[in-house]
Structures are given as C-alpha cells and as structure tokens.
Amino acid sequence: MRKIRTIERTWRNILRFYLKRTFPCETTDLVDYIPKQAKPSEMLLDATEEDVCCTNAKIQSLKCAIVEPAGRWFEAYCLRRRSKQTISQHSYKSTSSTESSSEVSEDDGTDEKLLLSLDPKEWKKQDHYAVLGIAHLRCHATEDQIKRAYKKKVLKHHPDKRKARGEKVKEGDDDYFSCVTRAYETLGVPVKRRAFDSVDPEFNDDIPEKDKESREEFFEVFRPVFERNERWSNSKKKVPKLGDANSTWDDVNNFYSFWYDFDSWREYSYLDEEEKEKGENRDERRWIEQQNKKARQKLKKEEVVRIRTLVDNAYACDPRIQRFKDEEKRKKEELKKARKDAAKAKQEEEERMKREAEELERQRKEKEESEAKAIATEAKKEKEAQKKAIKKERKTMRNSLKDLNYFAGDDPSTKIQNMSDMEKLAEMLSLTSLQELNSHLTSGDENKAKEGFHEKINEMNKKLEEEKRKNLEASQKQTSSVGESGGKIPWSDEEMQLLIKAVNLFPAGTVERWETIAGFLTQHMPSSNRSAKEVLFKAKSLQKMDSTKMKDAVNQKAFDRFSKSHKANPATSSESSGSERFVSPAEHLVAETGSNPNPWTADEQKLLEQALKKFPASTPERWDKIADCIPTRGKKDCMKRFKELAEMIKAKKAAAAQAKTAKS
Amino acid sequence: MSAAFGLHFGSTSACLAVYKDGKTDVVANDAGDRTTPAVVAYTDHDQTVGLAAKQGIVRNATNTICHVKQVIGKSYKQHEKENSTSGSYAKVINKEDKILYEVDYKEKTLHVSPEEVATKIYKKMMETATSHGDGDIHDCVLTAPRDFSSQQRQILSDCATKAGFNILRVINEPTAALLAYDIGQLDIEEYCNTVVYRLGGVSLDVTVVTCCNGMFRLLSTVTHADIGGDSFNDAIIEYFCGEFKRQWKEDIRGSKRSISKLKVAAERCKHTLSTLPESQCHVDSLYDGIDFNGKISRARFEGLCSGLVQRCLNPLETALKEAGLQKNEINKVILTGGAAKTPVLQSQLQNYFPGAELLNSTPPDEVIAVGAAKQAAILTGNENHESKQNEQETEVECIVSPIQIKLMTDDTATYSTIFPAMMPVPGRRQRKIQLGPQQTSCVLEVFEQRDEENRILIGKVVLRDLPVQSEVLAVFHARREGSIHITCTEKTSGKHADILIEVE
C-alpha cells in the first residue's frame, strides 16, 4: 500500500509543480486530476454471474466545435495536440532542467579503476572533472551538476561508507577519497575553477594556418575554432558569430573588430611552481609572488599572441574580405568614371556654347557689314543720281541755251562769250542753282530766261572775281615763301573751307597728316584731287594770308612779334602760333555784343579745355564759370565751340576710319 | 520580469490591467482614475486625450471625438446605415467611402481617421503602462466585441502595436469576463453555463457561454446598439429639464450648451446614485445666467428608468432561446460594462435568474481588462509564434452526447454524468466508488444519452471477488480519436479491468 501511495504522491507533486510553474493561477490548492469522491451512498451493483466486461455499442462520432482561444486549458490542449502526446506523457516531460536520476550515466567499473589509480599527492595534476565523473560536460557543467556529481561520489566512496561495507581504508590523507574532495574544492569555487579551466589539458589550442586548404573551406575550418575559443571572452557582450558566405559587411566588420580587441579571462595561476603561502618570511613570499607573476604574464602573452594569429589567419583567408575589397575598388572606379564623364560633358557643353556665341557674333557682324554696304551703295547711288541730275541739268541748260541761240541773235562774239560763260556756269553752279536757272530757261519766256542767265553769270563772275583776288594774294605770298609755284588749278572756295576744316581736324603730329588731309578733301570734293604736296603748299599759303589780314586791322608791333615767334620755332611752326592773342578788339567785342563771332584762337582753345576740365559737367552754372575764365569769349560762344569740337572729333574719327579702310 | 497587460478599449472608456507576481490589478492613469475616457479633443494649441478631453466637451464639442470604437473599420455607407450618430459630436465626412473626422486644429482643418484616434488613445494607455511596469517590453492582450470582424481586430492590434504594445492576442470580451472570475480554470471538470451581461456606455450585449473541460464556447450573442449608460443619463436630463421648467418657466432643451452642461452633471449624479440613496446636482449659469440646484433620489431614478431597465432585460430572452438553454440551467451571471453598476439593474437580473450566482465582486467596468491581463499572463510563458498559431486553431473535436454511469443509491438508479455534452476530446475523469459492506463484485455500466429519453448502454466493466469494504477507482479516458477507455481498479487487491468503447 505504501508503495502505491508514494508513486501517486510523487506523480501528483511532479504534475502540480509543472502545472503551477507554467500555468500560474491564483488559488494555490490546485484541484485537478484528483479523483472525485463519489457520494458514500452511491454504490455499484453487484455483478451477477453472466456479467462480463463487454462493449455493447459505439458512441456517436465526434463533432467539431469552435472554442474560445482563452484559458490555460486551451493552451495545454493545443500544446498536446501539436506534440501528439497523451495527457500522462505530457505531464511527465518536464521542461525544467531538474535532472532526473537517469541523466547522469554512470558506469561504475571505469570510475572505480580511475579513483583507485589516483595518487593523493599529485592531486593538482589529476583531471578534476573525470574524478567527479562529469568528464563529458567539462567547462559546460553547471554548478548544480558539479554539486550533484560530488554528492554521488561521496555516497559511494566516502571512507566511512566503505568501512561500513567492510573495505580496507587507508587512513589520513593518502586515501584516494581526498582526491575527490580536492577536485570538488577546485571545481566548486568559481575562481579556482576558472584557473583550472584555463589550463585544462583537454582544450586544444591549435590554430589553422594560412594555407590553400583553409582558404577554400574557410567556414568549415575556422567556425569550430572560433566557437571553441568563444568561451574565453571576458566581455559581457554576446560574442558575434563567424556568419556565412553572404553575411553583410557590418556583421563581418563587427566580428573582426570584436575579435581584434578580444580580452580573454584565461590566466595561468594554476601552474605556479611554489605556493605563495609556503614562504617563511615576507620578502621570500614577495619573491615567490614575483616569480609566479612573471611566469603568468609570459603565458598570458603567449595566449594573446595565439588569439591574434588565429584572427589574422582568419582575416587573411576570409573570401568575404576579398569580395568587399573588390567591391570597394569597383565602386571607386565607378565614381571616378562618373566624375570624368561629368567633366567631359561639361567641356562639350562649354564648347557648344562657345560655338554658338561665335555663330551669333558672326551673324551679327555680317548683318552690320551688309547694312554698312547697303548704306554705302545708297550713298553712292545718291551721289550718282546727283551727278546725273547735274549732268542732266547742264545738258538741258546747254540745249535750252542752244535753242535760245545763246541770246545773242546773230552777233558771234556775244555768242562765244555766252558759250564760255555757260561752260563756266555748268562747271561752277551747284545742282540747285542749275535747276533754278534751267527753270528760267525752259520757262519759254525769252527775256526771263535771259535775265536769269545773266544773273547767274554775274553771280558767277562775282565769285570768280573773288577767287581771282584770293589767288592773287595767295600767289603774292607764294612768291615771298619758298614754296613752289602756285597750284596749277585754282582752289575753289569750297575746297578752301574743306582744307581749313581738314587742317583743323588733323592737327600737327597726326601720322601722314597731309595724305589724310588730301584723302579727306577728295572724299568730300570728288572733283578736286589734290596731292599731299599741293595741300601742304596751300595750307602754308593760307596761314600767311591770315596773318596779313590781321595786320591790316592791327598796328605794326604786333606783326614784328609775329614774325619773330614765327622764326623761333620754324620746325614746329603750326598755324596755332600764327594766331596771336590781341588784347583789346576781341574782348571789346565780347563786352559789347556778348559773343565774338571770330574763329577760336589756339590760346582760347587751351583756356576752354582747362575750364572744361576744371568745371566738370555736374557743377551748377558751368558755362558761366567757363565763360568767365575765357575773357575773349561769351557763354554762348563757349557752348557753340564745345558742340563744334564734339562734332569735329566725331567726324575726325569717321574720317580716320574711312582713311584706314580706303588705304587697306 | 516583463509585465503582462490586459487592455480593454471600450467605446466610452479604456481600462488597463496588469498581471504581476501572481496578482492582477488595474493600473490607474496619471489622473488617478482606473478607467480613461476614450475621448480625443483637438484645441487650437494641442491635442488632449482622456479626462481632459472629456471635460472640454462643453465648449469644444465640434472638435471632440468619442465613441470611435463604433466606427473603427466600418465604411461610410455601413456607418450611415446604422446611423449610430448618437455619440460623436465631431463632423464625420466621407472620403472614398472611408470615414474621416473633420476637426480644426491650430486654425487648420484637419482630417483625422478613426485609426489615428485609436492609436492616440492606445498611446495614452501606453503612458499609463510605462509609468507602472518596469519592464521595457509590454506584452498585451486586447479585447474586442464578439461581432468584430477579423479585419477590425487587425486594425485594433495594428494601432496598439504602433503605440508600442507587443500584442499577444485579441480575445472576445465575454471570454475575458469569464477569465476574470477564473471560471473553468481551477477545476477542469467544472461545467457551467454563464451569461455575460455587458451594459456599456452606448451599447448592450448579452452573451451565453458554456465552459467545459476548461474551454469556453460562445453559444449566442445579442447586441442592442441603441441602449446604454447614456440613455440612463438622458432620462435624468429629462427629469432635470422638467424641474427647471417648473421652477423658472424656461425650456432649456433648445440650447445645446446647457444640455451638454446638464449632461455632465447628470452623469455624475448617476454614478453617485449607484452607491448613495440620494444625490445633489448643481450646475451654475445653466441657462442665461440662472444657477440650477437639483436633487434626485434613487427611488425616483428607478421610477424614471423602469422602462429602460425592462428594455435591458429583453435581449436575455432571445439569447437564451438562441443558446437553447433554460433560465435555470444558467449557473453564473457576470456583469460587465460601466452602466451595469446600477443597483436596480442588478436586482432585476438576480430576479430573472434565481438559480444563478451574480458575479459583481470586480467592478464591472474593469472585469474585461482583468480577464485580458490573466490571459496575457498565460501567454507570456510560451514563445510568441506558438501563441500566434494557437490563436488560429480553435477547432476542437468534442463528444457529442453525455456519457453517464449508473449508480445505485439505496436501490434507486441514478445516472451521474462523467463526460458532459460537447466535451472537447481528449479528457479524463475519475470516480472513486465505495462498495457495499458485503459486496465482493461490482459491475460498472456506462451509458450514452443520445437525446432526452433514450439512454443506451455502451459498456460494462465487471470486477469479481473483491475484498470487503473495498474502494473502486474508475478512470474514464476520452481519447483524441473519440474512443473512450474505461478502467476500474481496486487498490488493495490490485484487481483491475478495462474496456475500450469505439467511436462510430
């Protein structure tokens, strides 16, 4: 009876323990599977003879029902259903680590022999795990397991126990049981156990070399080694796994960084030769301690080197590292190429832009040239038209005169006279006066025509007279100056004006001054083509005339001074020195009329420029101030002068450009 | 140890319970209340959740969102059909047939989806959880009404995970109620039918659950969405309006503000009436400056809502009919939902189920959360993927008709049921039967009661020449494939006999 009850009790305790742990529930007295006590009054029938155990009918087939996924029985139900176990088996399988006796396999035979062979004195050299019978667990044995193993050994091998069994027991320390206690002492205390584990002979320290074989099966070779050495890790962090072929860069990086600064708790205090306590006095003990420390450090250094070589070898053989390096290289190249393409693209871009700009430039220039050409052709066309018109006028004049028989009736001399006059007229008159004349001639009224004709002639003669007079003077001057003989063709009035303008335009010192002036003349007066020499001669003669005219108006003294200054610098003689500053008449004129119509002298010109410089455009009443500092000129003169100068500069520039293109 | 949380998210309020070191208790939020109103309010400078939001409802009604649970996962048309617009004041707009609330927040109109509101409320509960529990992972079991579709449940658990909970499982509210009272958990042989009576803020639902072999089966559920705690408030408001009209000749039903002010005061009155026989109601400047002082006794309150209470009891009829049980077969009645506290309702229920035991020791509005916490405790034990798998496998085979044995009590035959109907397989029952004084042999006859009257003998176990005064232990083991293995042993003499009854 006792036996059954004990079985039941243990079975119930186990079940209660298990259920309580996994399915916590409020009330403590867990009532389940405890058979319900039928009411005392309820009894079973007496069995009659023919009664026999039998099954009479089948029960209905099962039906499915939906149950709420709640409550602990539902969980247990699912668990059982998944693991296909009956209720009783289920409750037996205890998940907790409480070992049941069957776990630690124990073959007494070998164990006995080993213990007997132990020598109590060399207890340090024995393998403590084997002594306690948990050799297969070694460093993975939990403290609990060690304790149990030790207890088991004590039960079996304690001297008193053996004495009770009638075995002979050596007394004192040399009995083999002391080895068991020693073993438990070292393994029981964690610190000592670590020391023993560090030098555990079973642990193989070898490291795979960097050869071809370990490179190919990198993972198969290195994974066990790393797992073995994992347990030395001193850091609380979880030791990262070696990973596999396609683990990411971070994992690999993390793995190697962990192992490169790997700190291991392995220490070699177990192998010290002498015990520190053995030393009699203090300094001997200190000496022993030093010896031990040195020995331990040496071994420790070896250990660190060992781990370092292990990791280096792994790093060298690791195919993934190679792969990452290539990848990086590839990425860098790509980057470079990308940058190069970008640069090239930029360059093309710029060239294209430049080309476009030039294209635009060229088109613009062409447009301008064509415009300029158009303008030039127009101007030419105009000139021709003008020339044609003059020619036409002249022809009509001649015809009409011829019709009118040169107003001379039958008298040949007047006829010839008229004809020569007509020729002169044709030559001298400008287009408008010709048209005027023609209108008179062709008006059909003879005497009106005649009058118009004669009027024109007188006009012309007057002009001629004047010209002749000028030539006369010029020829007088020429005879006094060294210049060659007077111009062969008399200088018409217009030419004179152009010459003066040209001379003023091109002051002394311009390059090829006289050629440009000549060019200027021919450009403005197509009919007169003077050579540079003629122009030079004419200009000189003009200068002299100018001075003589002044002399009339002025007394003799001024003239001497003029001729002296003229001789002083004949090389740089220019018409500017020619014009002398006369005190009274010009100023006098300004005071009276407020303006002085005479042409500007060089001095006045210089004064004007200085004033212009002194009073910039922004100063208020600028022109009054300028007028003050030029006594011989009024405000209006200065402004007019200023405008003229501006015009002259513009014309000069155009002319210079014209001259350059004409020459090239 | 990481704590295990149970979170009940009702339409009016949410409650959080924690299971730690063998005890389950409700976690109070930062305001010290054990339940947090499920209300979110948007003001022009911030968003508030919980009590603060609810208190602001008087002025900020249009931007306050409550009763969001009624709208979760529903399409706009569905919502319109059920026109359950009683609760939320905020404007509801339709966007591609999805419901969105339109509120103005920081001077901008903001469209808020019900899911966002739910997440905010869960976040608030998360704060309460972190303030209590020290563990960093918060395992949590959510509860959902039985008629929630799996898609709606998925939405609920997504919102909760977003708030930071680690969702173990979503269980039905009635089941949580049963778990709260440990029904069927202590004694596996316990077989009882329970009615879970839930009167929430806006809805009432009655569920009949049977518990057998430690597992629950929901037999029937009846829900009325139009009756709830609020309807009791309305009754009180009506009464007070009448009072006000009598005193000041002003009908205040027109002005919305005074009604909402009165509503808040009425609710407080109702709560006090649950415990005290009489309660004062004071609202200052209720209607153009007039303060109102009202008094209501419990008797009057019960008089007012006698009609309401009657309407509350109707669904019981239909639920029982649906479940196919009689009133007397119900063993237990569980009260859940805030409004179930009203004493008149409880007394009515007690009269309705004279034989049943009324369980209201745990405050009704916390029952579901406590049950969920207990479930969470059970689930934290095993790995996550396993519990997820279990959740799906709720198909269980059961024995159809009850298995009984014939016992003689002073020569009248009585049949005691070993396996009740629809008992999930496998299961094991034991009976210890004392034999008569001179009895040396016995026969155990096993019957199967297919239906009301015909009971067929399916097996006999005979034991012979037993010692006097012996005790027979009969073990009935229903196997997974449906067969039943019956063994009878007599301990002292070691005699035993067994039979195996096959399944059709």
Side-chain angles (χ1 to χ4, degrees):
Chain A
M1 191 50 120
R2 203 164 66 82
K3 196 167 180 303
I4 298 174
R5 188 164 292 114
T6 51
I7 293 173
E8 193 181 37
R9 191 176 304 113
T10 52
W11 185 60
R12 181 187 296 152
N13 291 347
I14 291 169
L15 188 66
R16 168 170 292 153
F17 174 82
Y18 159 72
L19 277 178
K20 180 124 185 41
R21 200 187 57 70
T22 50
F23 296 107
C25 138
E26 214 145 69
T27 54
T28 47
D29 52 349
L30 181 70
V31 178
D32 66 347
Y33 291 118
I34 310 308
K36 264 234 176 73
Q37 190 65 33
K39 292 192 191 64
S41 64
E42 283 170 345
M43 280 177 294
L44 281 177
L45 281 171
D46 265 354
T48 55
E49 278 64 26
E50 78 289 348
D51 269 344
V52 77
C53 297
C54 63
T55 58
N56 303 67
K58 286 203 170 68
I59 64 167
Q60 277 176 331
S61 63
L62 298 176
K63 212 171 76 181
C64 274
I66 305 293
V67 172
E68 284 300 302
R72 59 194 178 91
W73 299 111
F74 174 75
E75 294 302 318
Y77 175 83
C78 290
L79 223 58
R80 280 204 301 278
R81 180 169 52 183
R82 194 170 306 117
S83 51
K84 297 279 180 304
Q85 281 168 339
T86 62
I87 298 179
S88 52
Q89 267 172 337
H90 181 74
S91 57
Y92 248 106
K93 183 173 72 61
S94 64
T95 51
S96 68
S97 65
T98 51
E99 49 86 25
S100 60
S101 58
S102 64
E103 225 166 57
V104 182
S105 66
E106 188 197 323
D107 35 13
D108 292 350
T110 53
D111 174 39
E112 207 65 48
K113 252 202 309 342
L114 169 75
L115 284 175
L116 287 171
S117 68
L118 286 177
D119 170 0
K121 284 183 199 45
E122 273 82 22
W123 66 273
K124 236 178 181 299
K125 290 188 184 49
Q126 69 185 17
D127 172 4
H128 300 301
Y129 290 107
V131 166
L132 288 184
I134 42 173
H136 58 285
L137 287 174
R138 301 210 76 77
C139 58
H140 303 301
T142 61
E143 270 148 31
D144 197 19
Q145 282 165 330
I146 293 174
K147 210 173 283 157
R148 283 175 189 278
Y150 174 65
K151 285 214 181 74
K152 213 171 288 310
K153 284 284 177 259
V154 166
L155 273 179
K156 214 180 248 74
H157 300 288
H158 195 280
D160 307 345
K161 288 268 197 245
R162 275 190 277 125
K163 274 206 198 82
R165 285 205 291 273
E167 286 174 29
K168 196 172 66 48
V169 170
K170 291 200 200 91
E171 66 299 325
D173 257 353
D174 45 18
D175 176 37
Y176 71 87
F177 184 71
S178 63
C179 299
V180 174
T181 45
R182 282 272 190 243
Y184 181 65
E185 261 156 29
T186 38
L187 294 187
V189 176
V191 173
K192 287 204 179 115
R193 184 179 177 199
R194 274 168 86 114
F196 175 72
D197 280 350
S198 312
V199 292
D200 190 344
E202 296 283 311
F203 180 78
N204 68 10
D205 291 333
D206 56 8
I207 301 166
E209 292 77 23
K210 264 192 289 217
D211 55 12
K212 205 172 65 54
E213 179 258 346
S214 62
R215 215 180 286 280
E216 261 124 31
E217 293 101 17
F218 170 74
F219 293 107
E220 289 73 31
V221 167
F222 277 97
R223 195 188 301 284
V225 175
F226 273 110
E227 254 141 32
R228 259 203 319 270
N229 285 299
E230 220 161 64
R231 66 190 177 88
W232 302 123
S233 157
N234 204 357
S235 80
K236 278 179 283 316
K237 214 147 50 59
K238 198 167 76 57
V239 181
K241 288 277 172 292
L242 183 59
D244 50 19
N246 41 34
S247 46
T248 64
W249 162 249
D250 318 337
D251 300 350
V252 172
N253 201 358
N254 179 1
F255 174 79
Y256 279 112
S257 56
F258 176 83
W259 277 94
Y260 266 117
D261 44 35
F262 179 82
D263 80 53
S264 119
W265 49 262
R266 196 170 184 176
E267 32 91 15
Y268 296 86
S269 55
Y270 195 80
L271 302 176
D272 297 349
E273 279 78 25
E274 290 100 15
E275 285 300 314
K276 197 177 86 171
E277 292 74 26
K278 279 218 195 59
E280 287 83 18
N281 47 34
R282 223 179 66 73
D283 47 16
E284 198 175 326
R285 271 202 297 280
R286 278 172 55 78
W287 182 76
I288 292 172
E289 203 183 321
Q290 236 141 26
Q291 292 301 95
N292 292 348
K293 210 140 129 335
K294 244 199 264 85
R296 283 189 210 159
Q297 254 155 11
K298 196 165 66 56
L299 289 168
K300 181 73 183 175
K301 220 178 257 78
E302 272 160 32
E303 167 65 8
V304 169
V305 162
R306 184 182 72 85
I307 294 283
R308 170 49 60 89
T309 42
L310 164 65
V311 183
D312 286 346
N313 294 357
Y315 194 79
C317 311
D318 194 339
R320 294 173 301 183
I321 300 293
Q322 199 50 36
R323 191 149 47 79
F324 289 138
K325 280 212 188 70
D326 305 347
E327 240 166 68
E328 230 143 83
K329 223 184 278 108
R330 198 168 38 72
K331 226 174 269 149
K332 261 204 217 66
E333 266 144 33
E334 249 161 52
L335 215 66
K336 221 182 284 121
K337 203 156 49 58
R339 227 177 291 114
K340 227 193 279 103
D341 300 351
K344 211 178 311 94
K346 203 139 58 357
Q347 243 167 358
E348 270 148 27
E349 187 64 28
E350 267 145 25
E351 266 146 36
R352 205 169 47 70
M353 294 286 279
K354 234 193 277 95
R355 248 181 281 107
E356 258 160 36
E358 273 148 25
E359 194 66 32
L360 275 169
E361 199 61 36
R362 213 169 30 71
Q363 270 152 14
R364 205 166 42 71
K365 225 179 268 106
E366 264 154 27
K367 212 154 35 343
E368 265 148 26
E369 268 145 27
S370 57
E371 266 155 28
K373 219 180 274 98
I375 296 165
T377 48
E378 253 155 48
K380 208 178 285 104
K381 235 189 271 84
E382 238 168 67
K383 252 199 226 79
E384 263 122 30
Q386 223 175 1
K387 227 183 280 156
K388 222 184 278 95
I390 292 175
K391 233 187 252 97
K392 197 159 67 42
E393 291 306 325
R394 280 188 188 128
K395 199 148 75 309
T396 50
M397 191 179 67
R398 281 195 195 89
N399 300 347
S400 50
L401 280 176
K402 205 181 288 134
D403 303 351
L404 298 167
N405 194 6
Y406 302 99
F407 307 110
D410 47 13
D411 169 10
S413 65
T414 58
K415 195 171 174 194
I416 296 157
Q417 173 60 24
N418 286 358
M419 278 172 82
S420 66
D421 289 351
M422 183 198 66
E423 282 311 320
K424 258 195 236 131
L425 271 178
E427 211 178 83
M428 289 296 287
L429 286 183
S430 70
L431 179 63
T432 49
S433 48
L434 270 175
Q435 277 163 349
E436 221 175 80
L437 177 62
N438 284 345
S439 60
H440 293 300
L441 293 177
T442 56
S443 61
D445 176 353
E446 199 175 340
N447 39 26
K448 192 165 165 261
K450 205 162 184 271
E451 277 154 22
F453 184 66
H454 283 298
E455 191 189 298
K456 283 288 179 228
I457 290 166
N458 302 343
E459 239 176 60
M460 192 191 60
N461 291 340
K462 237 201 291 78
K463 249 198 264 170
L464 279 174
E465 273 311 314
E466 206 181 293
E467 240 172 63
K468 219 179 264 117
R469 202 164 48 67
K470 268 193 213 129
N471 293 354
L472 207 69
E473 281 153 13
S475 60
Q476 271 171 4
K477 242 194 283 156
Q478 267 161 358
T479 53
S480 66
S481 73
V482 158
E484 313 105 16
S485 63
K488 284 172 218 55
I489 311 156
W491 284 66
S492 69
D493 196 17
E494 224 175 278
E495 267 180 325
M496 293 279 275
Q497 278 165 5
L498 279 175
L499 178 63
I500 295 165
K501 203 189 278 184
V503 162
N504 286 344
L505 214 63
F506 303 106
T510 47
V511 168
E512 290 156 358
R513 181 176 180 219
W514 297 110
E515 279 73 15
T516 40
I517 292 177
F520 181 75
L521 281 177
T522 51
Q523 187 205 353
H524 282 281
M525 275 282 288
S527 58
S528 72
N529 48 17
R530 304 284 178 176
S531 74
K533 238 191 277 7
E534 275 177 271
V535 166
L536 176 66
F537 174 73
K538 186 64 191 166
K540 287 291 174 275
S541 61
L542 263 177
Q543 255 175 356
K544 270 192 209 60
M545 249 194 341
D546 217 353
S547 58
T548 53
K549 203 182 308 159
M550 288 306 160
K551 209 161 60 183
D552 309 344
V554 106
N555 54 24
Q556 186 57 31
K557 188 163 66 49
F559 180 70
D560 303 344
R561 207 183 313 108
F562 157 70
S563 58
K564 226 192 289 97
S565 71
H566 182 68
K567 276 191 200 62
N569 45 22
T572 63
S573 73
S574 66
E575 69 287 284
S576 65
S577 62
S579 61
E580 199 60 42
R581 186 179 177 289
F582 298 98
V583 175
S584 61
E587 277 152 18
H588 175 63
L589 207 64
V590 161
E592 265 168 18
T593 62
S595 76
N596 168 3
N598 296 353
W600 281 67
T601 62
D603 294 353
E604 283 164 348
Q605 175 64 23
K606 211 180 265 80
L607 280 175
L608 176 68
E609 275 157 20
Q610 278 156 10
L612 279 175
K613 262 197 227 59
K614 203 148 62 115
F615 306 109
S618 60
T619 50
E621 298 98 15
R622 180 182 186 218
W623 292 108
D624 305 339
K625 287 185 182 124
I626 293 172
D628 302 347
C629 54
I630 306 169
T632 63
R633 292 292 169 185
K635 190 173 116 178
K636 267 205 292 319
D637 294 351
C638 304
M639 288 168 82
K640 200 157 61 53
R641 179 65 187 160
F642 178 75
K643 264 199 226 54
E644 258 171 38
L645 281 177
E647 250 169 48
M648 265 205 281
I649 292 165
K650 241 195 257 98
K652 184 183 75 173
K653 269 210 201 70
Q658 188 61 29
K660 205 181 283 110
T661 50
K663 197 184 286 98
S664 66
Chain B
M1 175 179 104
S2 83
F5 288 95
L7 180 59
H8 163 50
F9 176 54
S11 45
T12 43
S13 67
C15 175
L16 183 77
V18 66
Y19 179 88
K20 219 169 180 200
D21 324 329
K23 289 196 307 314
T24 332
D25 45 40
V26 176
V27 184
N29 63 18
D30 43 20
D33 317 334
R34 295 162 74 90
T35 59
T36 321
V39 178
V40 175
Y42 290 84
T43 57
D44 48 17
H45 42 79
D46 66 354
Q47 308 165 14
T48 54
V49 186
L51 197 62
K54 188 171 182 192
Q55 271 148 4
I57 210 162
V58 177
R59 272 182 313 291
N60 190 6
T62 53
N63 297 335
T64 316
I65 303 170
C66 50
H67 306 316
V68 87
K69 189 171 160 196
Q70 290 176 324
V71 175
I72 286 266
K74 286 209 177 91
S75 72
Y76 191 75
K77 275 193 289 304
Q78 223 176 345
H79 173 63
E80 211 129 47
K81 198 148 37 58
E82 283 148 13
N83 63 40
S84 54
T85 56
S86 63
S88 164
Y89 300 93
K91 205 150 77 58
V92 177
I93 59 167
N94 172 7
K95 192 156 169 291
E96 302 119 15
D97 192 20
K98 272 215 244 32
I99 292 169
L100 282 178
Y101 289 103
E102 195 181 70
V103 282
D104 39 21
Y105 167 59
K106 286 186 180 154
E107 295 99 25
K108 294 200 299 304
T109 56
L110 189 69
H111 293 290
V112 185
S113 72
E115 284 76 20
E116 274 163 54
V117 177
T119 319
K120 277 203 185 38
I121 294 169
Y122 276 125
K123 270 210 183 70
K124 173 84 178 162
M125 300 314 285
M126 184 59 183
E127 278 158 33
T128 344
T130 40
S131 69
H132 171 80
D134 49 8
D136 48 6
I137 29 169
H138 299 277
D139 295 338
C140 174
V141 165
L142 297 184
T143 62
R146 190 188 180 197
D147 52 15
F148 250 40
S149 68
S150 63
Q151 187 239 348
Q152 283 169 315
R153 287 164 197 257
Q154 188 52 37
I155 291 173
L156 274 187
S157 68
D158 291 349
C159 296
T161 27
K162 233 181 284 174
F165 284 106
N166 164 25
I167 300 304
L168 299 175
R169 191 172 289 182
V170 180
I171 59 173
N172 287 328
E173 279 159 8
T175 335
L178 274 117
L179 281 176
Y181 286 100
D182 279 333
I183 292 170
Q185 302 304 300
L186 306 180
D187 171 8
I188 197 160
E189 297 189 12
E190 190 183 352
Y191 174 79
C192 76
N193 298 326
T194 338
V195 163
V196 180
Y197 188 89
R198 182 179 174 288
L199 185 62
V202 274
S203 63
L204 153 72
D205 47 58
V206 178
T207 329
V208 180
V209 184
T210 175
C211 160
C212 171
N213 205 9
M215 295 193 208
F216 309 113
R217 272 188 303 117
L218 300 181
L219 298 182
S220 69
T221 316
V222 174
T223 56
H224 281 268
D226 54 2
I227 191 165
D230 289 356
S231 25
F232 285 86
N233 292 348
D234 299 345
I236 297 177
I237 291 171
E238 278 313 308
Y239 169 69
F240 280 141
C241 289
E243 280 287 304
F244 191 85
K245 194 161 194 335
R246 198 164 47 72
Q247 281 172 13
W248 306 94
K249 308 288 177 297
E250 295 277 356
D251 186 353
I252 58 170
R253 286 188 192 75
S255 94
K256 214 156 176 292
R257 266 168 68 76
S258 49
I259 287 293
S260 58
K261 268 188 188 172
L262 198 55
K263 192 174 172 57
V264 174
E267 194 168 343
R268 229 179 295 113
C269 275
K270 189 182 74 174
H271 290 307
T272 38
L273 273 182
S274 299
T275 44
L276 301 175
E278 200 176 69
S279 91
Q280 294 288 341
C281 155
H282 167 73
V283 180
D284 41 25
S285 78
L286 173 64
Y287 187 72
D288 60 34
I290 308 165
D291 296 351
F292 172 72
N293 270 321
K295 184 164 69 55
I296 183 165
S297 67
R298 182 182 288 177
R300 176 168 301 283
F301 171 65
E302 275 158 14
L304 278 173
C305 21
S306 57
L308 266 179
V309 171
Q310 199 46 45
R311 270 176 59 200
C312 285
L313 298 181
N314 299 351
L316 288 173
E317 228 74 71
T318 44
L320 286 177
K321 213 185 298 89
E322 229 174 83
L325 295 171
Q326 269 63 37
K327 261 203 311 194
N328 49 30
E329 278 174 313
I330 300 293
N331 313 94
K332 289 185 174 125
V333 174
I334 300 182
L335 285 168
T336 60
K341 289 179 189 164
T342 38
V344 65
L345 189 70
Q346 292 186 1
S347 56
Q348 293 285 354
L349 276 175
Q350 189 62 53
N351 311 344
Y352 193 84
F353 293 105
E357 176 202 358
L358 194 69
L359 299 170
N360 58 9
S361 56
T362 330
D365 48 8
E366 296 161 7
V367 170
I368 296 178
V370 166
K374 287 191 173 164
Q375 176 64 23
I378 293 170
L379 291 180
T380 42
N382 49 22
E383 294 84 20
N384 213 334
H385 68 277
E386 227 174 67
S387 76
K388 285 274 183 301
Q389 213 179 345
N390 292 357
E391 194 171 359
Q392 270 68 38
E393 295 150 3
T394 55
E395 286 283 317
V396 171
E397 283 113 12
C398 310
I399 297 171
V400 177
S401 44
I403 307 290
Q404 293 159 352
I405 56 170
K406 189 172 166 196
L407 292 172
M408 298 299 288
T409 46
D410 37 39
D411 59 34
T412 57
T414 61
Y415 294 92
S416 106
T417 52
I418 303 292
F419 293 137
M422 293 306 288
M423 195 205 82
V425 166
R428 168 206 292 270
R429 290 291 185 277
Q430 300 186 64
R431 284 291 182 281
K432 221 188 261 180
I433 306 154
Q434 192 70 32
L435 288 188
Q438 306 84 15
Q439 210 170 346
T440 60
S441 71
C442 73
V443 66
L444 177 74
E445 286 164 355
V446 185
F447 296 88
E448 184 190 21
Q449 188 171 14
R450 291 265 168 91
D451 40 36
E452 216 35 60
E453 60 300 325
N454 86 7
R455 177 183 286 119
I456 49 164
L457 174 71
I458 49 171
K460 260 197 271 182
V461 179
V462 175
L463 280 178
R464 290 194 187 283
D465 48 43
L466 300 168
V468 176
Q469 286 294 347
S470 62
E471 205 184 45
V472 171
L473 171 69
V475 177
F476 303 80
H477 183 169
R479 293 237 179 79
R480 195 178 309 284
E481 63 278 8
S483 61
I484 297 180
H485 179 246
I486 304 164
T487 54
C488 292
T489 53
E490 200 287 327
K491 267 186 256 155
T492 48
S493 63
K495 282 209 168 34
H496 85 281
D498 67 307
I499 56 168
L500 181 67
I501 304 170
E502 289 305 328
V503 70
E504 271 162 16

